[in-house]
Amino acid sequence: MTVATAREFAATHRGELVGGVRAERSRLDSLHRYLEAGRWTPPTAHDSAYRMMPQTLAAAEASPDVQRVTLTDRTGADLYVNERLTDGGWSRDPAAAEALHAIRARPLPPDEVAGWLARHQEIVIEFAVRGEVNATTVPVLNQVAADAHVVAAMAPDPHHPAVREHAAVRPLLQVLASEPVTSTEALPLLLEPDDSLTARSSTSAAAADVGAEMARRRDLPTAARQAEDSVRRAVTERVAGCPAEVVQVVGAGEVGVSGVPEGGGWHRWRRVVRPCCSR
């Protein structure tokens, strides 16, 4: 709720203002909303709103029409709360703008780093296979790719599996974010599954390039090769019409399948691709 809206409905409604996330998460959430609900937020609008949020919070705490200001994380936990008392004063000295700056400066916790990187991979694949990579979306996809480097660097352990997986699949995601992938008949070289690549090596005019790619894959560490292959499977199966499932992850286990996460806790969800033949 904005301050103007709070003023408009002050007589009949309790005015509250809620917010508080890092820019990297906000941008990724914006892309997710578009995929799930068709709500495209122009990057200029997103960045302007994000940049103006501290001023909005300061104005809210200066307005008698706002009774409560809350900053939360994506789990719904309150990080800052200021509420009007019965005498009209605030329960604490107004400092929402300062609190927001501090919240935004905090690195993501390790589990949220892993969740953000997994969601980034999922979103890039989804944009590509839906044919949604175009002049409008590419700048945002590129910005989120840059965000991925920032988020990966937040992990306290640079050898964390999620960080190593991100490094391994980054070239594939760059290809996916540069052009739509709507047919398995014309996949870019990096995205070709091994069997297709082997077939191309004997028929393609670019046999030397194919051979070099096959050699590169053979030299990859096992974990990096598995990460690349996971992206290739996701792309080819999605293009072939085999939808991914959203699986809630709690700790090391998987519980519950179906639905798309809403609100807090999105970092506890990841998309997995089941073999179509198993359905």
Side-chain angles (χ1 to χ4, degrees), residues 21 25 29 32-33 36 39 72-77 119 260-269:
V21 296
R25 177 176 291 163
D29 283 354
H32 179 251
R33 284 192 296 272
E36 298 300 334
R39 294 164 50 196
T72 68
D73 61 19
R74 274 293 189 259
T75 69
R119 174 56 60 87
V260 175
E262 297 180 356
W266 65 262
H267 60 278
R268 296 183 180 275
W269 296 73

Side-chain angles (χ1 to χ4, degrees), residues 236-243 276 279:
T236 55
E237 293 186 358
R238 289 289 290 111
V239 170
C242 181
C276 291
R279 299 187 173 197

